[in-house]
């Protein structure tokens, strides 16, 4: 599937980026947001971002986003509460 975003012509010059650079940043931003929400696994988010998983983890760390996202139900089972 392909998603398109219409941007005003001035945006790229304001960002000081080429269209390819802006597309890369947008892919990473969307993947990180979906990962942060718990909608995507780290591996799938890295794939959407177009990055190796290690590079995606570096991007998360640079943005101070938890690299590990524990599943509360799994934690409850592990400690005997569920």
């Amino acid at each position: 599937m392909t998603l398109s975003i219409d941007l005003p012509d001035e945006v790229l010059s304001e960002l000081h980026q080429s269209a390819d650079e802006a597309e890369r940043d947008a892919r990473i931003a969307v993947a990180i947001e979906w990962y942060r929400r718990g909608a995507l696994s780290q591996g799938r988010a890295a794939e959407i971002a177009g990055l190796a998983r290690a590079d995606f983890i570096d991007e998360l760390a640079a943005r101070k986003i938890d690299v590990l996202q524990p599943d509360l139900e799994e934690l409850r089972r592990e400690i005997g509460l569920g």
Side-chain angles (χ1 to χ4, degrees), residues 28-80:
I28 292 170
V30 166
I32 286 174
E33 178 59 18
W34 288 342
Y35 172 76
R36 189 191 63 75
R37 289 185 199 172
L40 294 178
S41 69
Q42 200 176 81
R44 179 65 77 187
E47 180 182 335
I48 288 170
L51 299 172
R53 190 166 176 184
D55 294 332
F56 185 72
I57 290 170
D58 289 344
E59 290 289 339
L60 291 172
R63 290 167 172 77
K64 298 180 178 20
I65 295 171
D66 289 336
V67 173
L68 300 176
Q69 294 188 337
D71 179 306
L72 292 179
E73 288 302 314
E74 185 177 330
L75 288 175
R76 285 186 182 119
R77 283 192 302 275
E78 286 183 20
I79 61 174

Side-chain angles (χ1 to χ4, degrees), residues 7-20 22-23:
L7 299 172
D9 292 335
E10 308 83 40
V11 170
L12 292 179
S13 62
E14 289 173 15
L15 293 173
H16 305 290
Q17 290 186 322
S18 69
D20 288 341
E23 178 185 355

